[in-house]
Amino acid sequence: MDAAEKVRWFEGGFGLLYDRLLSRQVRQDLLPTHVAIVMDGNRRFALSSGLQNDQGHRMGKEKVREVMRWCRDTGIKYLTVYALSIENLTSRSPQELATLFDLYESGFLELCDDREIHRDRVRCKAMGQIHLLPARLITAIEAAERATKDYDDLVFTVCLAYGARQELVDAIKGILSDHRDGKIDPDSICEELVSQYLYTHDMPDPDLVIRTSGEERVSNFLLWQMAYAELCFIDVYWPAFRKRDFLRAIRTYQGRRRRYGR
Ligand code: FPP
Ligand code: MG
């Protein structure tokens, strides 16, 4: 048996057993209600594996489906993923953006009639400056949102053309507009009211924010909402993110909550 075969054998046997034990362990403790993820490292994964960039993104898309499954298995109620920042719309090449838009479009269309999504009652939506996206992608997003609008066992949100500062700008505009219409008294403006004007007005703040690829930045993601979140930076590229990395992040969250909760 060569080294690669040994690793595969270990992964298939002890690896699965280890994941199952870890899964049982985290389910016995307080789970985060909302997990948010900065999926980073698709291109570095491709480079380190001798693949083209678009292959890295394709594998990144498959990983999202896997993580949705892990959330359902574990009992997480909200999963939010950062798939495209507003800055990415100008910083990435038109060819790369076209590949990404194709992946998002096919991803949302697949969700519309996916058996697992309907069986597990997963609500799918997108959040960000959606009007800046190509029409075909907006149509796919709307179709997935319509097909899953009555579900709430897991709420899956894809942040696209998203920027947290822009979200705050939009909230300020909304508050000012309602003030002009006589609906808001300035003295009533408080944290709860601001939260109601964010894109995330109908979901709880994230309890755990994970970023893959070893980078330790929040990159304009959910800045207001992550005020009290636990942050977990994982030194694995997104396509290589494993169930045990996900479960260990939850276990880290549980350990920190216990220490700080005292
Ligand atoms: C980060 O890696 C990844 C992205 C900007 C794109 C994320 C998109 C997917 C994972 C596909 C998701 C699909 C759906 C339907 C949600 P990077 O390009 O920044 O790689 P690098 O950090 O190594 O340069
Ligand atoms: Mg990156």
Side-chain angles (χ1 to χ4, degrees):
M1 201 186 281
D2 68 14
E5 274 171 331
K6 277 187 193 148
V7 169
R8 269 198 298 278
W9 182 81
F10 179 83
E11 284 291 318
F14 288 119
L16 279 179
L17 189 62
Y18 175 68
D19 286 355
R20 212 168 292 160
L21 287 174
L22 207 50
S23 181
R24 190 176 309 161
Q25 190 187 4
V26 303
R27 276 189 276 120
Q28 282 164 357
D29 204 338
L30 179 75
L31 286 167
T33 302
H34 183 174
V35 175
I37 307 184
V38 181
M39 311 178 288
D40 197 16
N42 287 354
R43 293 178 298 188
R44 276 168 287 163
F45 175 84
L47 187 69
S48 67
S49 316
L51 303 169
Q52 300 291 323
N53 278 351
D54 60 346
Q55 197 54 30
H57 289 315
R58 237 171 278 284
M59 292 175 72
K61 177 188 162 192
E62 292 313 311
K63 187 58 64 175
V64 176
R65 296 308 305 269
E66 264 184 82
V67 176
M68 289 171 78
R69 214 165 289 134
W70 303 341
C71 284
R72 273 142 42 208
D73 292 348
T74 314
I76 306 296
K77 305 298 283 183
Y78 294 83
L79 170 68
T80 302
V81 296
Y82 200 6
L84 193 77
S85 71
I86 208 162
E87 295 84 6
N88 284 159
L89 288 176
T90 44
S91 67
R92 305 234 171 189
S93 72
Q95 294 94 309
E96 186 178 7
L97 284 173
T99 301
L100 288 171
F101 292 147
D102 282 347
L103 286 177
Y104 304 139
E105 183 189 3
S106 62
F108 276 103
L109 291 176
E110 283 156 22
L111 293 173
C112 290
D113 42 30
D114 184 286
R115 276 187 39 223
E116 279 183 40
I117 294 294
H118 291 282
R119 183 197 65 200
D120 296 340
R121 303 180 57 79
V122 181
R123 180 160 175 213
C124 305
K125 31 188 220 154
M127 172 174 109
Q129 298 281 97
I130 301 302
H131 62 277
L132 298 177
L133 301 170
R136 61 189 174 89
L137 173 52
I138 297 178
T139 304
I141 290 169
E142 286 169 353
E145 289 185 342
R146 229 181 1 259
T148 61
K149 68 177 175 22
D150 296 326
Y151 301 153
D152 63 359
D153 281 10
L154 170 67
V155 177
F156 169 61
T157 307
V158 183
C159 295
L160 287 169
Y162 173 84
R165 288 185 171 185
Q166 185 60 47
E167 181 183 22
L168 284 170
V169 169
D170 289 346
I172 292 166
K173 285 182 181 165
I175 292 169
L176 283 177
S177 160
D178 281 351
H179 170 57
R180 261 196 315 271
D181 295 346
K183 293 187 204 153
I184 293 180
D185 168 5
D187 288 337
S188 71
I189 298 176
C190 58
E191 291 185 16
E192 287 71 28
L193 183 126
V194 173
S195 294
Q196 283 163 25
Y197 283 81
L198 297 174
Y199 307 151
T200 50
H201 57 88
D202 57 353
M203 61 170 92
D205 288 341
D207 307 288
L208 171 64
V209 178
I210 296 172
R211 181 174 186 146
T212 58
S213 92
E215 302 292 342
E216 301 194 356
R217 294 188 298 280
V218 292
S219 299
N220 204 12
F221 184 50
L222 301 177
L223 296 182
W224 174 279
Q225 298 89 334
M226 70 165 76
Y228 299 103
E230 297 296 335
L231 309 183
C232 201
F233 298 102
I234 297 179
D235 201 2
V236 168
Y237 298 138
W238 174 248
F241 187 58
R242 300 163 304 177
K243 187 170 187 181
R244 74 195 57 164
D245 300 314
F246 175 74
L247 293 170
R248 282 178 184 147
I250 295 177
R251 198 174 54 180
T252 301
Y253 160 86
Q254 292 171 330
R256 288 185 198 160
R257 276 292 142 122
R258 256 196 309 281
R259 277 200 303 281
Y260 301 146
R262 274 198 214 117

